[in-house]
Amino acid sequence: MIQTEKQSQFSNHLCFCSQIDDKEFDIPQVDTPPTLESILNELEDEEEPFVLEDTCVLNTDNMDAHSCDTSSLASSDSGDPVHLKRKRRTVDLNPTVHGSVLRHSLLKGISAQIVSAATMSGVIAVGTSHGLALVFDTNQALRLCLGSKATGAEFGAVSALSINHDCSRLLCGFAKGQITMWDLANGKLLRTINDAHPPGTAILHVKFTDDPTLAVCNDSGGSVFELAFRRVMGMRSCDSRCLFSGSKGEVCSIEPLHAPQDFRDHPITHYSLLAMASLTKILVIGLKPSLKVWMTFPYSKSDPSSVPQLAWQFVPVQKTVNPVLAFSKGDTVHFLLVKKEETGTIHVIKQRQLHLSCDIISLSWINSRTLLLVDSHEKLQVVDRPSQEILETLDLEQVQLVYNSRHFKSLATGGNVSQALVGEKACYQSVSSYGGQIVYLGTKSAHIMALRNWRERIDCLLKQEHFVEALSLAWSFHEGTAKAVVGLFGDPVKRKGVVADKMVEIIFQFTEHALKKCPEQGKIQVMEQHFHDVVPVLVDYCLLLQRPDLLFNQLYSRLVENTVAKGVFLESLESYIVADRLGHLTTPIMRDLLAHYQSNGMMDSLERCIVHLDITSLDIQQVVQVCWDNQLYDAMIYVFNSGMNDYITPMEVSPFLQNDEVVMGNKLLVYISCCLAGRAYPLGDIPEDLVVQVKNQVYEFLIRLHSADSSDEEEVFPYIRTLLHFDTREFLNVLAMTFEDFKNDKQALEYQQRIVDILLQVMVDNPDFTPSQVGGLFTFLARQLAKPDNTLFVNRKLFDQVLEFLCCPDDDSRHTERQQVLLELLHVGGVVQFNEERLLALAEKAKFYQICEFLYEKKHLHDKIIDCYLRDPLRKGEIFSYIHNLLSMPGYSPEEKQTVKEKVLQNMQITQKYHHNEATAYLLEKKGDIQGAFDVLLETLKEKLSVLAAESDGGEKTGGESTLTGVKDSLNDIIDLCHRSSPNLNQQQREVLWFPLLETMMNSQRQGKGLAPDSDTTLTMKVLNCMSSFISLPAIIQQILQDPVYGKGKLAEIQGLILGMLDTFTYEQTLLETTTSLLNHDLHWSLAHLRAAVTRGLHPRQDYCNICLQQYKRRQDSAEEIIVFSCGHLYHVQCLQQKDCGWGVAPELQQRWSCYKCSSSKGGRGGTSSEQKRGRSTSLAQVCNSPHALIYIHPSPATLDLHQEQSWDQLRCLYRGPSRVMTLSLCSSWRASSFTLLDYTQTAKNILTIRFLLSVKTQIMHCCHKN
């Protein structure tokens, strides 16, 4: 029996029912409850009573000896033979950072007695196929056996069970429709209800509500009934009321809202909400104070054989706690937040969905953030609802889950079941949850699932020696990012402290395990890899926990015992030091680190570590010696600067700097720049109180007359001289940056003037410096002098001196270099330092044509720039590009462009002199002399034809091919000229251009020399096809027939030409007819679809508003306005107004609307941007004031309105294929080599001459017949 103290610990129940065969499981036939000794097996010594307790503190040792860390589970059906044959599946091992989230335990005390059990709280109730209800206590001992064999024969199997919240009453539903109520205190039968619903239908569900006098039941006919229990004058009765009739759609799942003890006073509990699920929709109704439907939600399309699932849970949302209904049918889980408004209405808000890859057959909340789902493949998935992340997946094969499908297939009631209830895998009565624990009923055992507390999850990984995963999981607990956390209480600081202690314990275990498992023999690489997998993890988590003492004392003292582990430890510190996560090392570790890195030649790594370490942790004498010996300049500078505040000693090596010491020289330049700019090298900043002092010290160092250890041969200013010789340009750039940083520092300005004077003294008239170096100096000076706030003074005579040096005409060496230096000097503003007339004279004398161009450009003398290009041997070929750019680019006046044109025409004789015929023709064309350009190109073509004929007579093949290519190029050039010019000429002028070209090609064909017959005919046909676009066909035929050769009746010689032309125009006639037909067909198709799109009616997808989710008839007493969009979505006008989905300032009847759902999915919510985008969702309907009616807007007869334009855009989007006209045009290019595709107008004119060509063809055929 259950003790009173133990009963008081529980406020609810978990119960299961299953069709268990009494004979199969050897359950005795009893009229009175049997004694425990007669039916119970002795508990084993290691088994302890099963006690339901808070999952936060539940220990696996208290469950039973058969608890497992991560079990593999599955199921079976006790009634359907199709499920009896099962295939063994391989266990999915999918370790994640979440570890083992679920604790799977076998209720061994129940399983050993009944091999089918299930649900928990104060008691566990199990129904059997012979009408018995077995009640177990918290020790898994049978407490009551309710019912008898006679009752089972009369009522059938127990098909549904429910226990009220105080564990005092048990409701049993039977396969033949009866319902019984039992007193769990004494096992007394209180009520037998025979008329609560239509006879002959099984009870699928019976459930208590939070009101102990109110329950609901659902029968196999799909109807739902309310059961109200009464007791008057000692007489017990039950009133039944139909809540939902199965004739309107069969309900196959119901779930009343049960409030936990802490939320019994929640305002929503007064409505006694009930969720009902049919095969097509979800309903949420309120039983109190009066029956009312609060929400209807239809399903999306899913597998008809899948059954819906319902589950309630109170969830904290934005500092308030409200119930959330999770429901699923198929592979999608929907979440509805239900809350009470101040007005007293229930408001339902749809939240984010969860999608899986297979159908869901069981849905349960295990806490407010975590769900347990069982899919049709019998996989149990633990899902974190906020992130929708699957935390763990288990296989339920060993569970042998019991299915209750027979009630959905009329197997238990002789066929009195709706044909719609055809669920293949219904397990409603085999899964029950309470208090964070879920029990799954199998055919031979009962299994309980509960969330492990955080320590258990870590310990599971430690038992498997997964130390890295255990540390990662523990750190997620420490940072508050873990999912499904149980058992971690207190404020954040306290929680972090508890987890940190656990992590320290894991770190020690990991260290000992690594040392113990280290291979004692074998390759050194194997040992190194072993510790590389361990040591960085230990270092990382010690630093994350901010425990360097643990790292340097306990851990290092253990690792130092192994030489390989010690080396790996020291090397792993580098990444953390460089990332500034570790700034201080103890003296022993610093000493070992220097020795290890130096002995292994890791000097670059050592240098990177030194510059990031706290200077107080370094042995300065030892570090400086190591840096000097190994040329670690960065580390040496850091030690001198940070350790001794000495910024000069690192620079004193500069007099000995050689050209091959590039690395040191570059670092020295950067170091000087940093010092003068107030920044520390290689990182950080100089202390503010030392910035001015360091800057002055560096300036003083640079302008020293001699070095400290100078000799008699040393030149003055050795430091500046050495840096200039190393890299003049970069040193001057460093000075330029520092000059920019200190504009208002008087002392710094004095140092700057002094440095400039020294630079001029050292570099001017010094043969050791190249013109490029000297030019770089004066470029630097010109930039400084050009600044508006310049304070430097430079003698102008020095610029003149440099100018004469660079423009010396007697020195031809480095001509290009000297010109580039002077050009750069002028570009930065140095031109103001020179006399321009003298500069121009010196540039012309020195043949610095780019300098001349620079000066002429300033004076806009573009005609003289052309002379510069012609006289410059390096840029002569660029003259045409310059002329083209100047004439085509904006920014030049018409007068300047005209001057250039005249200059070009004056230089035409140059191209004629050197026989550049293409250039001459180009110039003549630009001048407007089209005939002259044509004559030049025609003469070139004739010359190449003559050369080709001569080579053909000589028998040369190789040369003939290149000459033939030249002929084709010349012919293309002259055809292009005629094409460009013909549109601007009259018919007579066109004939003057085209006929000589045709005559030239036909003359070559008549002579039969030079060109092969095929090539000759091809080129002649090309000319004919090109000229036919501009010359009438009769004129072309007449010109051919007037030829003296062809005028003697030898029409057979031109047979090929005439037949080719006839074939071309026959093709063009067919092309025009086909194109016209296609255009007409496409136009008709487009207009027909446009008309259909504009005039079609609208059919709403649903009968409810897509914003408030309420039916559009929600207020029967008001004339509610609705809007239906072309996308099928329906809305109330008030809802759209609240979402600001309208735009425009037109009157109400002309207001434009946009679909809220479609525009939201595209990132917009109405407004003016919606009007610009004109999406498909814009409404084609306007509203009227009559209830539930729509008036469609008819298009204007004159123009397309906004909606019609949108329909037209939609129509264009629907026709996604390529244009058939475009396809035909592409096909026509297949004949490209022999003719050109004419435009439609010219082709129409050509077709008029078909009759003439047919007559010519007749003459040709007649002539051929006679011959």
Side-chain angles (χ1 to χ4, degrees), residues 639-654:
V639 172
F640 274 100
N641 292 173
S642 301
M644 297 177 279
N645 286 336
D646 183 357
Y647 292 84
I648 301 302
T649 302
M651 295 189 294
E652 291 181 344
V653 298
S654 59

Side-chain angles (χ1 to χ4, degrees), residues 59 96 123 409 411 496 699 851 868 976 980 1150 1242 1256:
N59 193 313
T96 66
V123 293
K409 293 183 177 182
L411 299 180
K496 287 188 176 183
Y699 277 133
I851 305 299
C868 292
D976 291 341
R980 292 194 300 269
Q1150 300 297 326
Q1242 186 63 39
V1256 173

